[in-house]
Amino acid sequence: MKLLRLGASGAERPAILHTDGTYRDISSVAVDIAGETLTDEGLARIAAAGIDSLPVLPQSSRIGPCVGDVGKFICIGLNYADHAAETGAELPKEPIIFMKATSAIIGPNDDVRIPKNSKKTDWEVELGVVIGKEARYVDEDDAMDHVAGYCVINDLSEREFQIERSGQWVKGKSADTFGPIGPYLVTRDEVDDPQNLPMWLEVDGHRYQDGSTSTMVFGVATLVSHLSQFMSLQPGDIITTGTPPGVGMGQKPEPVYLKEGQTMKLGIEGLGEQTQKTIAWNA
């Protein structure tokens, strides 16, 4: 299933993408794409609802973040071997974990605001993993049972804030609008192998990132298991799993960073695409 949320910010309705391309309202069986809805039982109720009989929602509706009421937005750094190489970093021996503020979350096609005093706003197409079952001290063999599905994420970053301003990476990752997610939460049964998904990102029509989840250092099962050793994971928590090469910081001979008035397009095979325009922080 491809689940999404439609409507104005803060007033989104849960929906499903029909095979005929229409959006169908699932609010009769799900309050939101969040929490209990993401459990196996909640997803089974949606699957059994009879999509053909559900009301059609306008195709012109704004697409909101594909998950509501996100509890934790957990990020993994330097998790692609080829991206680590472009930054000159050593491969991590364990996953590098940091957080992104949930206030950064926006819809997949909403505008991205360049933060005040930003000099180095950068892009990162990433595979998002949405938790569907509480996880504590989970073995790697059982980890995938705790995944509800997957989504596209643009893990936007302000590199000066992240690297040159001391402290942890979180302050370079958490500006408002720095977390577009969606358009869909694609349930795990529709993704045969999350470690073999082509992914890409373009800015103003120029393709900067053209990679695959196959070069991840730590795969989805490893990440879910590893994180569960240090914190419980709850339905609706999101793990964004790292980015392939081609970020602005890694461009040669000089880095390339985002400025106002540009357009980003990005996507992951089978999970959909995003488009964002960059605007001033106070626009």
Side-chain angles (χ1 to χ4, degrees):
M1 295 183 292
K2 290 182 172 66
L3 305 177
L4 65 163
R5 302 169 69 247
L6 300 176
S9 179
E12 294 92 348
R13 297 176 69 86
I16 187 170
L17 178 67
H18 195 289
T19 54
D20 65 7
T22 59
Y23 301 139
R24 301 299 180 104
D25 187 346
I26 60 171
S27 57
S28 60
V29 291
V31 175
D32 198 358
I33 310 299
E36 191 273 338
T37 297
L38 298 169
T39 65
D40 287 348
E41 296 77 14
L43 295 175
R45 281 196 297 273
I46 296 172
I51 187 170
D52 291 337
S53 63
L54 295 174
V56 177
L57 293 171
Q59 291 294 115
S60 59
S61 299
R62 168 187 174 266
I63 301 177
C66 61
V67 180
D69 196 26
V70 176
K72 293 190 285 296
F73 201 170
I74 307 168
C75 305
I76 308 298
L78 296 175
N79 195 36
Y80 281 67
D82 38 8
H83 171 56
E86 78 170 341
T87 64
E90 293 185 12
L91 292 181
K93 295 179 174 61
E94 287 193 8
I96 296 172
I97 303 168
F98 59 98
M99 296 288 194
K100 196 175 184 84
T102 56
S103 54
I105 293 173
I106 57 172
N109 304 318
D110 291 344
D111 292 338
V112 166
R113 295 178 182 273
I114 304 294
K116 185 177 181 180
N117 301 318
S118 169
K119 300 175 183 176
K120 299 179 179 181
T121 292
D122 204 347
W123 57 81
E124 296 187 17
V125 59
E126 304 202 6
L127 172 68
V129 178
V130 181
I131 298 298
K133 178 182 177 182
E134 187 175 67
R136 288 189 179 89
Y137 301 107
V138 172
D139 291 334
E140 194 166 325
D141 289 345
D142 300 323
M144 301 304 284
D145 294 339
H146 297 262
V147 173
Y150 306 93
C151 63
V152 181
I153 294 177
N154 191 352
D155 177 23
L156 288 136
S157 311
E158 212 298 337
R159 302 300 189 188
E160 185 192 29
F161 300 173
Q162 176 189 359
I163 298 169
E164 303 171 37
R165 297 283 297 274
S166 185
Q168 298 182 350
W169 288 1
V170 64
K171 68 184 181 184
K173 297 282 188 171
S174 294
D176 290 352
T177 75
F178 267 27
I181 64 171
Y184 315 116
L185 186 159
V186 181
T187 52
R188 71 174 187 266
D189 59 296
E190 289 202 6
V191 179
D192 291 335
D193 183 2
Q195 304 310 145
N196 189 30
L197 298 175
M199 57 205 306
W200 55 275
L201 183 144
E202 298 175 350
V203 180
D204 291 340
H206 178 82
R207 183 158 295 200
Y208 284 97
Q209 292 190 276
D210 201 350
S212 169
T213 58
S214 63
T215 66
M216 287 171 66
V217 180
F218 304 104
V220 172
T222 299
L223 292 175
V224 172
S225 174
H226 183 78
L227 288 166
S228 77
Q229 310 306 308
F230 302 98
M231 66 190 84
S232 64
L233 302 175
Q234 314 296 330
D237 287 349
I238 296 175
I239 306 165
T240 189
T241 56
T243 197
V247 298
M249 180 175 63
Q251 298 303 306
K252 300 293 188 289
E254 297 290 337
V256 176
Y257 295 112
L258 293 165
K259 55 185 183 292
E260 296 165 25
Q262 294 189 291
T263 299
M264 288 176 285
K265 293 186 177 182
L266 58 148
I268 300 177
E269 186 173 283
L271 304 185
E273 299 181 3
Q274 302 183 353
T275 301
Q276 298 112 27
K277 294 185 182 300
T278 56
I279 61 175
W281 72 273
N282 58 348

